[in-house]
Amino acid sequence: MDNTIKRYTVVIYSENQIGMLTQVANVFTRRSLSIWSLSAGASSMEGIHTITIVTDSTEKKVLESVRQLEKRVDVVRVFYYAEDQVVYRELALYKIPTDKIIDSGNIEDILQRYNAKIIEINKTFTVISKVGTTDESQNLYDDLSQYGVMQFQRSGRIVVSRERQEPLRDFLRERSEL
């Protein structure tokens, strides 16, 4: 097992129980793993939720955390992935003063370059939306800084594995055949 620090994405499938997110965060804290990104929501299977956590660590520490999480009764299964094993995106929102955008005349070029969209515009501010990787969101932020970004928010990472089917489905099918 490699002791190199790399970025890993941990996907936890669980029942939607009160306090679950706190308990998951505690496992990472006890193992001295910082949470770089976190998102939670319903999965494609009724009654099962996902918690997606991104951390920079060694594979050994991530695997220890996965094993600890899987001991919980309300956790159905946990998977972890290296960067090249997932496709991911984040949502970023940028609030920019409308008058600066109107005065510049080149906002359309920036929006096209980043495949970003204006989702609200009023006299005071314009909200721009970008779905993409962390680097793409940051690069757009850097380009929009010339207009005076009033507010910026980026979501946690959501992922799908590069495997053919959702791995939880395979796990549940194998478990039901036992």
PDB file of all heavy atoms in Angstrom, residues 86-106:
ATOM      1  N   VAL A  86     -12.905   8.490 -10.664  1.00  0.00           N
ATOM      2  CA  VAL A  86     -14.205   9.156 -10.589  1.00  0.00           C
ATOM      3  C   VAL A  86     -14.315  10.278 -11.618  1.00  0.00           C
ATOM      4  O   VAL A  86     -13.319  10.817 -12.085  1.00  0.00           O
ATOM      5  CB  VAL A  86     -14.479   9.753  -9.183  1.00  0.00           C
ATOM      6  CG1 VAL A  86     -14.625   8.679  -8.141  1.00  0.00           C
ATOM      7  CG2 VAL A  86     -13.428  10.759  -8.786  1.00  0.00           C
ATOM      8  N   VAL A  87     -15.560  10.597 -11.918  1.00  0.00           N
ATOM      9  CA  VAL A  87     -15.891  11.811 -12.660  1.00  0.00           C
ATOM     10  C   VAL A  87     -16.611  12.685 -11.644  1.00  0.00           C
ATOM     11  O   VAL A  87     -17.530  12.222 -10.967  1.00  0.00           O
ATOM     12  CB  VAL A  87     -16.827  11.505 -13.853  1.00  0.00           C
ATOM     13  CG1 VAL A  87     -17.241  12.790 -14.557  1.00  0.00           C
ATOM     14  CG2 VAL A  87     -16.164  10.531 -14.814  1.00  0.00           C
ATOM     15  N   TYR A  88     -16.163  13.916 -11.501  1.00  0.00           N
ATOM     16  CA  TYR A  88     -16.767  14.770 -10.483  1.00  0.00           C
ATOM     17  C   TYR A  88     -17.041  16.167 -11.019  1.00  0.00           C
ATOM     18  O   TYR A  88     -16.451  16.597 -12.007  1.00  0.00           O
ATOM     19  CB  TYR A  88     -15.882  14.859  -9.230  1.00  0.00           C
ATOM     20  CG  TYR A  88     -14.746  15.840  -9.351  1.00  0.00           C
ATOM     21  CD1 TYR A  88     -14.905  17.153  -8.921  1.00  0.00           C
ATOM     22  CD2 TYR A  88     -13.523  15.478  -9.885  1.00  0.00           C
ATOM     23  CE1 TYR A  88     -13.877  18.068  -9.026  1.00  0.00           C
ATOM     24  CE2 TYR A  88     -12.487  16.377  -9.986  1.00  0.00           C
ATOM     25  CZ  TYR A  88     -12.664  17.675  -9.564  1.00  0.00           C
ATOM     26  OH  TYR A  88     -11.661  18.582  -9.680  1.00  0.00           O
ATOM     27  N   ARG A  89     -17.931  16.850 -10.324  1.00  0.00           N
ATOM     28  CA  ARG A  89     -18.237  18.245 -10.613  1.00  0.00           C
ATOM     29  C   ARG A  89     -18.622  18.932  -9.308  1.00  0.00           C
ATOM     30  O   ARG A  89     -19.035  18.304  -8.344  1.00  0.00           O
ATOM     31  CB  ARG A  89     -19.393  18.387 -11.612  1.00  0.00           C
ATOM     32  CG  ARG A  89     -19.047  17.948 -13.024  1.00  0.00           C
ATOM     33  CD  ARG A  89     -17.964  18.834 -13.622  1.00  0.00           C
ATOM     34  NE  ARG A  89     -17.594  18.451 -14.956  1.00  0.00           N
ATOM     35  CZ  ARG A  89     -16.532  17.704 -15.271  1.00  0.00           C
ATOM     36  NH1 ARG A  89     -15.753  17.206 -14.336  1.00  0.00           N
ATOM     37  NH2 ARG A  89     -16.252  17.445 -16.518  1.00  0.00           N
ATOM     38  N   GLU A  90     -18.488  20.250  -9.356  1.00  0.00           N
ATOM     39  CA  GLU A  90     -18.920  21.127  -8.273  1.00  0.00           C
ATOM     40  C   GLU A  90     -19.737  22.245  -8.905  1.00  0.00           C
ATOM     41  O   GLU A  90     -19.591  22.525 -10.094  1.00  0.00           O
ATOM     42  CB  GLU A  90     -17.710  21.761  -7.575  1.00  0.00           C
ATOM     43  CG  GLU A  90     -16.764  20.784  -6.954  1.00  0.00           C
ATOM     44  CD  GLU A  90     -15.474  21.433  -6.456  1.00  0.00           C
ATOM     45  OE1 GLU A  90     -15.227  22.626  -6.737  1.00  0.00           O
ATOM     46  OE2 GLU A  90     -14.718  20.732  -5.780  1.00  0.00           O
ATOM     47  N   LEU A  91     -20.570  22.871  -8.114  1.00  0.00           N
ATOM     48  CA  LEU A  91     -21.314  24.036  -8.563  1.00  0.00           C
ATOM     49  C   LEU A  91     -20.706  25.259  -7.897  1.00  0.00           C
ATOM     50  O   LEU A  91     -20.447  25.236  -6.688  1.00  0.00           O
ATOM     51  CB  LEU A  91     -22.788  23.911  -8.167  1.00  0.00           C
ATOM     52  CG  LEU A  91     -23.648  25.162  -8.344  1.00  0.00           C
ATOM     53  CD1 LEU A  91     -23.764  25.540  -9.815  1.00  0.00           C
ATOM     54  CD2 LEU A  91     -25.008  24.954  -7.722  1.00  0.00           C
ATOM     55  N   ALA A  92     -20.470  26.295  -8.669  1.00  0.00           N
ATOM     56  CA  ALA A  92     -19.954  27.548  -8.116  1.00  0.00           C
ATOM     57  C   ALA A  92     -20.890  28.685  -8.513  1.00  0.00           C
ATOM     58  O   ALA A  92     -21.398  28.719  -9.641  1.00  0.00           O
ATOM     59  CB  ALA A  92     -18.545  27.823  -8.627  1.00  0.00           C
ATOM     60  N   LEU A  93     -21.134  29.593  -7.567  1.00  0.00           N
ATOM     61  CA  LEU A  93     -21.937  30.787  -7.812  1.00  0.00           C
ATOM     62  C   LEU A  93     -21.090  32.020  -7.526  1.00  0.00           C
ATOM     63  O   LEU A  93     -20.371  32.060  -6.521  1.00  0.00           O
ATOM     64  CB  LEU A  93     -23.185  30.802  -6.922  1.00  0.00           C
ATOM     65  CG  LEU A  93     -24.184  29.673  -7.126  1.00  0.00           C
ATOM     66  CD1 LEU A  93     -25.313  29.784  -6.102  1.00  0.00           C
ATOM     67  CD2 LEU A  93     -24.743  29.676  -8.532  1.00  0.00           C
ATOM     68  N   TYR A  94     -21.203  33.011  -8.393  1.00  0.00           N
ATOM     69  CA  TYR A  94     -20.433  34.248  -8.285  1.00  0.00           C
ATOM     70  C   TYR A  94     -21.409  35.416  -8.362  1.00  0.00           C
ATOM     71  O   TYR A  94     -22.229  35.481  -9.278  1.00  0.00           O
ATOM     72  CB  TYR A  94     -19.463  34.383  -9.458  1.00  0.00           C
ATOM     73  CG  TYR A  94     -18.645  33.149  -9.740  1.00  0.00           C
ATOM     74  CD1 TYR A  94     -19.185  32.074 -10.448  1.00  0.00           C
ATOM     75  CD2 TYR A  94     -17.327  33.055  -9.317  1.00  0.00           C
ATOM     76  CE1 TYR A  94     -18.438  30.943 -10.719  1.00  0.00           C
ATOM     77  CE2 TYR A  94     -16.575  31.921  -9.590  1.00  0.00           C
ATOM     78  CZ  TYR A  94     -17.136  30.873 -10.287  1.00  0.00           C
ATOM     79  OH  TYR A  94     -16.389  29.750 -10.552  1.00  0.00           O
ATOM     80  N   LYS A  95     -21.333  36.348  -7.408  1.00  0.00           N
ATOM     81  CA  LYS A  95     -22.164  37.551  -7.450  1.00  0.00           C
ATOM     82  C   LYS A  95     -21.261  38.724  -7.796  1.00  0.00           C
ATOM     83  O   LYS A  95     -20.284  39.004  -7.096  1.00  0.00           O
ATOM     84  CB  LYS A  95     -22.871  37.784  -6.107  1.00  0.00           C
ATOM     85  CG  LYS A  95     -23.813  38.969  -6.158  1.00  0.00           C
ATOM     86  CD  LYS A  95     -24.826  39.087  -5.030  1.00  0.00           C
ATOM     87  CE  LYS A  95     -24.339  38.898  -3.662  1.00  0.00           C
ATOM     88  NZ  LYS A  95     -25.313  39.268  -2.615  1.00  0.00           N
ATOM     89  N   ILE A  96     -21.613  39.402  -8.887  1.00  0.00           N
ATOM     90  CA  ILE A  96     -20.789  40.475  -9.448  1.00  0.00           C
ATOM     91  C   ILE A  96     -21.642  41.738  -9.561  1.00  0.00           C
ATOM     92  O   ILE A  96     -22.823  41.647  -9.923  1.00  0.00           O
ATOM     93  CB  ILE A  96     -20.299  40.090 -10.876  1.00  0.00           C
ATOM     94  CG1 ILE A  96     -19.730  38.680 -10.913  1.00  0.00           C
ATOM     95  CG2 ILE A  96     -19.316  41.092 -11.437  1.00  0.00           C
ATOM     96  CD1 ILE A  96     -18.488  38.472 -10.121  1.00  0.00           C
ATOM     97  N   PRO A  97     -21.081  42.918  -9.328  1.00  0.00           N
ATOM     98  CA  PRO A  97     -21.855  44.149  -9.533  1.00  0.00           C
ATOM     99  C   PRO A  97     -22.287  44.284 -11.001  1.00  0.00           C
ATOM    100  O   PRO A  97     -21.460  44.196 -11.910  1.00  0.00           O
ATOM    101  CB  PRO A  97     -20.886  45.271  -9.158  1.00  0.00           C
ATOM    102  CG  PRO A  97     -19.802  44.612  -8.372  1.00  0.00           C
ATOM    103  CD  PRO A  97     -19.735  43.196  -8.835  1.00  0.00           C
ATOM    104  N   THR A  98     -23.565  44.481 -11.223  1.00  0.00           N
ATOM    105  CA  THR A  98     -24.097  44.562 -12.592  1.00  0.00           C
ATOM    106  C   THR A  98     -23.481  45.714 -13.372  1.00  0.00           C
ATOM    107  O   THR A  98     -23.144  45.556 -14.553  1.00  0.00           O
ATOM    108  CB  THR A  98     -25.639  44.689 -12.551  1.00  0.00           C
ATOM    109  OG1 THR A  98     -26.163  43.531 -11.908  1.00  0.00           O
ATOM    110  CG2 THR A  98     -26.222  44.793 -13.945  1.00  0.00           C
ATOM    111  N   ASP A  99     -23.314  46.867 -12.741  1.00  0.00           N
ATOM    112  CA  ASP A  99     -22.769  48.009 -13.480  1.00  0.00           C
ATOM    113  C   ASP A  99     -21.358  47.747 -14.010  1.00  0.00           C
ATOM    114  O   ASP A  99     -21.012  48.177 -15.111  1.00  0.00           O
ATOM    115  CB  ASP A  99     -22.797  49.285 -12.621  1.00  0.00           C
ATOM    116  CG  ASP A  99     -21.992  49.181 -11.337  1.00  0.00           C
ATOM    117  OD1 ASP A  99     -21.701  48.046 -10.889  1.00  0.00           O
ATOM    118  OD2 ASP A  99     -21.661  50.240 -10.750  1.00  0.00           O
ATOM    119  N   LYS A 100     -20.547  47.009 -13.273  1.00  0.00           N
ATOM    120  CA  LYS A 100     -19.182  46.696 -13.736  1.00  0.00           C
ATOM    121  C   LYS A 100     -19.216  45.765 -14.949  1.00  0.00           C
ATOM    122  O   LYS A 100     -18.398  45.878 -15.851  1.00  0.00           O
ATOM    123  CB  LYS A 100     -18.375  46.056 -12.613  1.00  0.00           C
ATOM    124  CG  LYS A 100     -18.235  46.938 -11.400  1.00  0.00           C
ATOM    125  CD  LYS A 100     -16.824  47.312 -11.173  1.00  0.00           C
ATOM    126  CE  LYS A 100     -16.746  48.258  -9.998  1.00  0.00           C
ATOM    127  NZ  LYS A 100     -15.724  47.947  -9.062  1.00  0.00           N
ATOM    128  N   ILE A 101     -20.171  44.847 -14.950  1.00  0.00           N
ATOM    129  CA  ILE A 101     -20.302  43.926 -16.082  1.00  0.00           C
ATOM    130  C   ILE A 101     -20.744  44.680 -17.330  1.00  0.00           C
ATOM    131  O   ILE A 101     -20.213  44.479 -18.416  1.00  0.00           O
ATOM    132  CB  ILE A 101     -21.306  42.798 -15.739  1.00  0.00           C
ATOM    133  CG1 ILE A 101     -20.691  41.861 -14.700  1.00  0.00           C
ATOM    134  CG2 ILE A 101     -21.712  42.025 -16.980  1.00  0.00           C
ATOM    135  CD1 ILE A 101     -21.634  40.794 -14.213  1.00  0.00           C
ATOM    136  N   ILE A 102     -21.720  45.573 -17.156  1.00  0.00           N
ATOM    137  CA  ILE A 102     -22.226  46.347 -18.296  1.00  0.00           C
ATOM    138  C   ILE A 102     -21.131  47.230 -18.866  1.00  0.00           C
ATOM    139  O   ILE A 102     -20.957  47.319 -20.087  1.00  0.00           O
ATOM    140  CB  ILE A 102     -23.462  47.174 -17.877  1.00  0.00           C
ATOM    141  CG1 ILE A 102     -24.633  46.230 -17.584  1.00  0.00           C
ATOM    142  CG2 ILE A 102     -23.841  48.190 -18.956  1.00  0.00           C
ATOM    143  CD1 ILE A 102     -25.826  46.900 -16.936  1.00  0.00           C
ATOM    144  N   ASP A 103     -20.350  47.860 -17.991  1.00  0.00           N
ATOM    145  CA  ASP A 103     -19.279  48.754 -18.430  1.00  0.00           C
ATOM    146  C   ASP A 103     -18.146  48.019 -19.135  1.00  0.00           C
ATOM    147  O   ASP A 103     -17.471  48.581 -19.988  1.00  0.00           O
ATOM    148  CB  ASP A 103     -18.714  49.546 -17.244  1.00  0.00           C
ATOM    149  CG  ASP A 103     -19.723  50.526 -16.659  1.00  0.00           C
ATOM    150  OD1 ASP A 103     -20.733  50.813 -17.331  1.00  0.00           O
ATOM    151  OD2 ASP A 103     -19.503  50.981 -15.518  1.00  0.00           O
ATOM    152  N   SER A 104     -17.922  46.762 -18.793  1.00  0.00           N
ATOM    153  CA  SER A 104     -16.757  46.046 -19.327  1.00  0.00           C
ATOM    154  C   SER A 104     -16.914  45.654 -20.790  1.00  0.00           C
ATOM    155  O   SER A 104     -15.967  45.735 -21.558  1.00  0.00           O
ATOM    156  CB  SER A 104     -16.484  44.788 -18.509  1.00  0.00           C
ATOM    157  OG  SER A 104     -17.407  43.774 -18.856  1.00  0.00           O
ATOM    158  N   GLY A 105     -18.091  45.166 -21.147  1.00  0.00           N
ATOM    159  CA  GLY A 105     -18.319  44.775 -22.531  1.00  0.00           C
ATOM    160  C   GLY A 105     -17.741  43.430 -22.937  1.00  0.00           C
ATOM    161  O   GLY A 105     -17.956  42.991 -24.055  1.00  0.00           O
ATOM    162  N   ASN A 106     -16.973  42.765 -22.073  1.00  0.00           N
ATOM    163  CA  ASN A 106     -16.381  41.477 -22.481  1.00  0.00           C
ATOM    164  C   ASN A 106     -16.811  40.300 -21.618  1.00  0.00           C
ATOM    165  O   ASN A 106     -16.204  39.243 -21.668  1.00  0.00           O
ATOM    166  CB  ASN A 106     -14.853  41.572 -22.495  1.00  0.00           C
ATOM    167  CG  ASN A 106     -14.254  41.668 -21.112  1.00  0.00           C
ATOM    168  OD1 ASN A 106     -14.926  42.031 -20.158  1.00  0.00           O
ATOM    169  ND2 ASN A 106     -12.986  41.342 -21.014  1.00  0.00           N
TER     170      ASN A 106
END
